[in-house]
Amino acid sequence: MTINIKPSCSKALLLCLLLSTQTANAGTESWQYSIMPYLWNVSFDGTTSSGGNDFPVDVDYSFFTLDNLDNVFSLKFEANNGRIGILLDGLQAGYSDDTSNLLFDARLDVDLGYLEAAVSYKPAGFSHIDIIGGIRYIFIDALFYLQPVITPDRTIEEHHTWTDPLVGLRLQDTLGNSWFYQLRGDFGGFGVSSDMAINLLGVVGFSFNKNIAAELGYRYVSIDFKDDDFLYDVSMYGLIIGLGIHF
């Protein structure tokens, strides 16, 4: 398994860092930080198309077998001072899939990911609810290889990047005896770039001490993006597990 950080992410990363710096200067309370690498045992479902050719996506993989998984990197960071928080999240995943029928053989290779920068705000009187607003930079590199029975082989490459606004809510609280939970939902796109982007997350966590905590949950992400004759209408969903460091 390889880990790649795309050069095209640099502008979005700089924007994330700028947003973090400006927000961190606000407020006078002490800041607390957490960083968490995580694994997302994701399945893909939906449709991609290019040049009038549809490529159904139905890929399941396991981190134990690495089926269909070419590379993966995921990390999230959070800083907060009680009322105001900074949320950074990054994911890159590569997958491939083969399709065969009586008319053609096809192969789909996709490298996709996102960088997210958001600010959370806890309204007065709502100690467990955060309002979230920010941006999500998304990139997709797709290669479609067609080997028809009659016509010559075709290779189609697509490279797309775009930035979506996002808004949402997060609910988090303790369950007692070192247990806690978090529910988050946000929506983006709104026709700015994607027609719609949905991100839903539910986790249960356990704090081993004040510095180490583990989380287990379920995440669902749906992206509906169109650009000329390119369509990416895909849902990603599956269990997510992470180990966080708090300081």
Side-chain angles (χ1 to χ4, degrees):
M1 177 175 65
T2 60
I3 295 176
N4 302 315
I5 303 299
K6 296 176 65 64
S8 58
C9 296
S10 57
K11 292 183 179 180
L13 182 59
L14 289 174
L15 183 58
C16 293
L17 294 175
L18 178 60
L19 178 61
S20 304
T21 302
Q22 295 299 318
T23 308
N25 290 332
T28 58
E29 298 183 29
S30 60
W31 285 81
Q32 297 180 332
Y33 307 92
S34 68
I35 185 169
M36 176 178 290
Y38 63 89
L39 296 178
W40 187 14
N41 195 40
V42 67
S43 297
F44 298 85
D45 186 27
T47 300
T48 62
S49 67
S50 178
N53 300 289
D54 291 338
F55 298 84
V57 178
D58 185 9
V59 180
D60 297 309
Y61 69 75
S62 168
F63 278 102
F64 300 105
T65 63
L66 303 182
D67 289 342
N68 301 105
L69 179 64
D70 298 326
N71 60 73
V72 62
F73 176 78
S74 50
L75 185 72
K76 64 179 180 179
F77 169 83
E78 181 170 352
N80 67 78
N81 70 343
R83 297 284 297 277
I84 298 175
I86 303 165
L87 309 175
L88 303 178
D89 191 2
L91 169 72
Q92 179 176 340
Y95 70 87
S96 57
D97 193 20
D98 295 297
T99 301
S100 298
N101 56 41
L102 295 177
L103 298 178
F104 63 84
D105 294 330
R107 179 176 177 83
L108 170 65
D109 291 303
V110 175
D111 189 27
L112 64 90
Y114 63 80
L115 286 171
E116 173 187 304
V119 175
S120 64
Y121 176 74
K122 197 179 302 296
F126 295 89
S127 59
H128 305 304
I129 297 177
D130 295 307
I131 300 173
I132 298 172
I135 58 172
R136 184 178 292 122
Y137 169 87
I138 303 170
F139 61 85
I140 292 177
D141 288 343
L143 186 147
F144 308 89
Y145 175 71
L146 289 174
Q147 190 176 25
V149 175
I150 300 176
T151 59
D153 298 353
R154 297 180 60 194
T155 299
I156 304 172
E157 294 187 39
E158 297 281 357
H159 307 280
H160 298 272
T161 62
W162 67 94
T163 303
D164 285 330
L166 66 92
V167 293
L169 294 174
R170 181 175 66 172
L171 172 65
Q172 53 185 358
D173 198 2
T174 59
L175 295 172
N177 297 323
S178 301
W179 291 91
F180 61 92
Y181 73 91
Q182 180 185 135
L183 300 173
R184 171 176 167 170
D186 62 74
F187 300 87
F190 310 113
V192 176
S193 294
S194 303
D195 289 341
M196 180 58 71
I198 302 172
N199 176 42
L200 303 175
L201 173 67
V203 300
V204 175
F206 181 81
S207 298
F208 298 99
N209 52 50
K210 67 177 182 179
N211 299 117
I212 305 294
E215 295 183 3
L216 175 66
Y218 191 87
R219 187 176 196 177
Y220 172 85
V221 173
S222 177
I223 301 173
D224 183 3
F225 173 76
K226 299 181 183 69
D227 184 16
D228 296 330
D229 62 352
F230 176 73
L231 168 67
Y232 187 84
D233 185 6
V234 173
S235 298
M236 301 175 286
Y237 48 87
L239 292 176
I240 186 170
I241 184 172
L243 184 67
I245 301 174
H246 305 264
F247 55 97

